[in-house]
Amino acid sequence: MLSDPILTTRPEDGWDIPLLVWRAGMPLRAASSGPLGGGLGVRNWVVNATVPMSYHRDDPAEHLAALADGLGLDGPGVGLLTGVDVAEVVARADTGVRVWATVGLGTPIWAAASTPAAPAQRVGTVNIVGYVPAALGDAALVNAVATATEAKAQAIWELGLPATGTPTDSVTVLCPADGPAEPYGGPRSTWGAPLARAVHAAVRDGGSVPCVPWSDRRGG
């Protein structure tokens, strides 16, 4: 089981900067595109850390590993970064599936745009963390990440943005490591369908209110 996230802060560059921490009651299998702990594997925790819009480090994995160490997190985990104030996380649930999303849509893009997006000053990252209460096989986990991404894109379109996401979005899906593995994670599968609905609701609801970068509120 993945616990509700705990909101805490860490001192950095003279600020107390927020971050969310999820701890697993037991090791979970995960598929993630996060800068720390991405790929497929067993993970014990997830961190979603706010950073200022002036963030310029080129070692995000090392940065996140140091944050996890400072929090006393043991073993492998997943680390995510965002300019969004993670205190504004949106949580949704459907048929046992749980989803949390921090939604910044200031840099909307089409995934297959022919030209790169212009540099943006507005916060533009959607980080999604999902928990499915049944074991998923490798292919099903990968498919679940695709399903969550499709649901995110649907929500963004319904919000009136001509986009599929932002350049820095991340998705993490976790599930129990033991038990018979479900073979499918698509949007009409047993667990993919509620995952899609929960992600869609979280991104739609999170994106329906203005998002001001955390550092803009503090003049940084």
Side-chain angles (χ1 to χ4, degrees), residues 49-220:
T50 294
V51 293
M53 294 298 285
S54 58
Y55 189 80
H56 61 276
R57 293 184 58 156
D58 59 3
D59 61 345
E62 289 78 5
H63 183 199
L64 284 160
L67 294 181
D69 185 62
L71 292 164
L73 298 174
D74 296 323
V78 172
L80 313 171
L81 297 172
T82 179
V84 174
D85 184 345
V86 295
E88 297 175 352
V89 64
V90 178
R92 295 292 180 267
D94 191 306
T95 321
V97 172
R98 307 181 73 198
V99 166
W100 300 266
T102 50
V103 184
L105 294 172
T107 314
I109 63 163
W110 291 114
S114 58
T115 56
Q121 299 303 314
R122 296 178 297 164
V123 62
T125 296
V126 180
N127 281 343
I128 296 167
V129 176
Y131 172 76
V132 174
L136 302 176
D138 285 354
L141 260 177
V142 173
N143 204 357
V145 170
T147 294
T149 303
E150 291 170 7
K152 175 200 71 175
Q154 179 182 339
I156 291 170
W157 177 254
E158 291 175 3
L159 287 167
L161 294 174
T164 51
T166 87
T168 52
D169 293 351
S170 184
V171 177
T172 299
V173 178
L174 304 105
C175 69
D178 299 321
E182 296 284 334
Y184 306 116
R188 292 296 174 266
S189 66
T190 300
W191 295 109
L195 175 65
R197 292 191 296 266
V199 169
H200 175 264
V203 175
R204 179 200 60 206
D205 295 348
S208 65
V209 295
C211 180
V212 178
W214 174 87
S215 54
D216 282 9
R217 298 173 182 173
R218 285 146 183 81

Side-chain angles (χ1 to χ4, degrees), residues 5-90:
I6 295 171
L7 178 66
T8 185
T9 62
R10 86 272 185 182
E12 195 169 286
D13 296 330
W15 285 332
D16 288 325
I17 307 181
L19 68 165
L20 289 172
V21 184
W22 291 259
R23 288 178 169 87
M26 60 185 63
L28 301 174
R29 295 191 67 242
S32 176
S33 60
L36 175 68
L40 290 168
V42 174
R43 304 289 182 260
N44 297 336
W45 48 265
V46 179
V47 168
N48 189 13
T50 294
V51 293
M53 294 298 285
S54 58
Y55 189 80
H56 61 276
R57 293 184 58 156
D58 59 3
D59 61 345
E62 289 78 5
H63 183 199
L64 284 160
L67 294 181
D69 185 62
L71 292 164
L73 298 174
D74 296 323
V78 172
L80 313 171
L81 297 172
T82 179
V84 174
D85 184 345
V86 295
E88 297 175 352
V89 64
V90 178

